[in-house]
């Protein structure tokens, strides 16, 4: 049995949780200074509990497994607006050939929280329209686009899913796709709550995965055929 590192022990896995709870009053004050309604403030901060639940599902133990997202929530960067969440981004200073963002402007990074239920078009409409009012009235960035970097942006999904699927409807909102990178781990972690290491997913692991939905069957079938899934970035110009 491998020896647990400090980051994998109970104190290490809960350290960031305690930090977030300690600074909570300061974050709430920051939210109030920027005129956030209480429901948006608490919905955004509730990401901590959702992330802990996701970590438990993936690893089987309590605490936080991935930590990159929580500092953004508790620094006043990420906000939950209904079905979707959005990150503020710094104005772009380079490179000069970006497909969407002019120099000095920024985009909103779009997240699809795992605890939000179906990705229904009406709920997404509401989130995007809320974001268009929410951010310009509270923060100084000149936002000209929405971006989303996710395995849900993989255009190969259109080969397996019906045109009426919520995922393909969500993809259809985005006009330009960039930054393609292999990420078989992404659907396995987010859809099946399973983790693997290596370049190719083993047959043994694929045999263990449930096949209860069209999406689950699509992910497994594609991997069995020797294909890979990718994170891509989709862009919507505002």
């Amino acid at each position: 049995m491998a020896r647990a590192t400090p980051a994998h022990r109970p104190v290490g896995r809960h350290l960031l949780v305690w930090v977030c709870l300690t600074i909570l009053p300061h974050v709430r004050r920051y939210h109030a200074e920027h005129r956030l309604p209480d429901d948006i403030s608490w919905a955004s901060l509730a990401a901590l509990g959702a992330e802990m639940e996701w970590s438990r599902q993936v690893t089987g133990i309590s605490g936080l497994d991935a930590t990159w997202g929580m500092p953004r929530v508790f620094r006043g960067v990420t906000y939950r607006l209904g079905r979707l969440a959005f990150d503020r981004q710094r104005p772009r200073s380079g490179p000069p050939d970006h497909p969407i963002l002019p120099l000095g402007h920024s985009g909103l990074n779009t997240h699809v929280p795992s605890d939000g239920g179906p990705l229904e078009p009406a709920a997404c409409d509401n989130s995007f329209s809320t974001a268009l009012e929410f951010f310009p009235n509270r923060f100084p960035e000149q936002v000209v686009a929405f971006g989303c970097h996710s395995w849900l942006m993989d255009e190969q999904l259109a080969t397996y899913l019906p045109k009426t699927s919520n995922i393909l409807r969500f993809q259809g909102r985005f006009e330009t796709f960039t930054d393609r990178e292999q990420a078989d781990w992404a659907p396995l972690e987010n859809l099946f709550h399973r983790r693997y290491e290596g370049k190719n997913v083993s047959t043994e692991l694929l045999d263990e995965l449930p096949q209860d939905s069209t999406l689950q069957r699509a992910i497994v079938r594609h991997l069995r055929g020797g294909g890979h899934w990718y994170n891509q970035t989709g862009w919507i110009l505002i």
Side-chain angles (χ1 to χ4, degrees):
M1 185 176 188
R3 184 178 179 182
T5 66
H8 296 147
R9 295 171 187 162
V11 171
R13 290 183 58 82
H14 290 82
L15 180 59
L16 184 60
V17 177
W18 295 326
V19 170
C20 290
L21 294 177
T22 299
I23 67 173
L24 179 61
H26 303 282
V27 184
R28 286 281 292 161
R29 188 178 307 117
Y30 178 83
H31 285 178
E33 290 170 353
H34 287 77
R35 297 176 287 108
L36 263 72
D38 271 351
D39 59 341
I40 291 179
S41 175
W42 286 118
S44 302
L45 296 169
L48 176 60
E51 186 69 21
M52 292 181 69
E53 173 60 23
W54 179 86
S55 293
R56 183 184 287 275
Q57 289 175 337
V58 172
T59 66
I61 53 180
S62 63
L64 281 175
D65 190 52
T67 59
W68 67 269
M70 288 305 98
R72 301 183 68 79
V73 171
F74 282 79
R75 283 171 45 217
V77 173
T78 302
Y79 296 94
R80 179 76 177 263
L81 304 177
R83 179 62 185 88
L84 305 174
F86 302 90
D87 282 354
R88 298 166 54 203
Q89 300 291 321
R90 292 179 179 177
R92 190 177 74 82
S93 57
D97 57 346
H98 195 280
I100 293 292
L101 299 179
L103 288 172
H105 293 70
S106 63
L108 292 172
N109 189 23
T110 307
H111 297 285
V112 181
S114 60
D115 63 341
L119 198 59
E120 295 180 348
C124 294
D125 287 343
N126 183 66
S127 291
F128 281 116
S129 62
T130 300
L132 289 175
E133 296 180 4
F134 175 83
F135 288 96
N137 291 329
R138 292 171 174 84
F139 302 105
E141 298 91 349
Q142 296 185 56
V143 176
V144 299
F146 292 101
C148 182
H149 186 68
S150 172
W151 66 276
L152 296 173
M153 293 288 101
D154 191 332
E155 295 170 289
Q156 297 178 109
L157 287 167
T159 304
Y160 298 94
L161 301 180
K163 293 181 180 180
T164 56
S165 77
N166 286 336
I167 291 176
L168 294 189
R169 288 178 175 178
F170 184 73
Q171 270 192 18
R173 298 172 182 270
F174 296 82
E175 305 152 3
T176 303
F177 291 83
T178 61
D179 305 325
R180 192 170 185 254
E181 61 182 13
Q182 184 177 326
D184 294 333
W185 60 267
L188 292 186
E189 285 195 7
N190 290 283
L191 183 60
F192 297 101
H193 301 127
R194 294 297 298 273
R195 182 162 291 165
Y196 85 102
E197 296 181 5
K199 184 177 181 180
N200 297 298
V201 183
S202 69
T203 301
E204 291 76 15
L205 175 54
L206 293 176
D207 288 342
E208 296 174 2
L209 300 179
Q211 301 284 276
D212 300 327
S213 69
T214 300
L215 180 58
Q216 289 176 338
R217 292 189 289 272
I219 297 302
V220 173
R221 178 183 171 189
H222 188 70
L223 292 172
R224 283 193 190 280
H228 295 286
W229 294 107
Y230 295 86
N231 282 334
Q232 287 186 257
T233 303
W235 291 96
I236 303 172
L237 185 65
I238 297 175

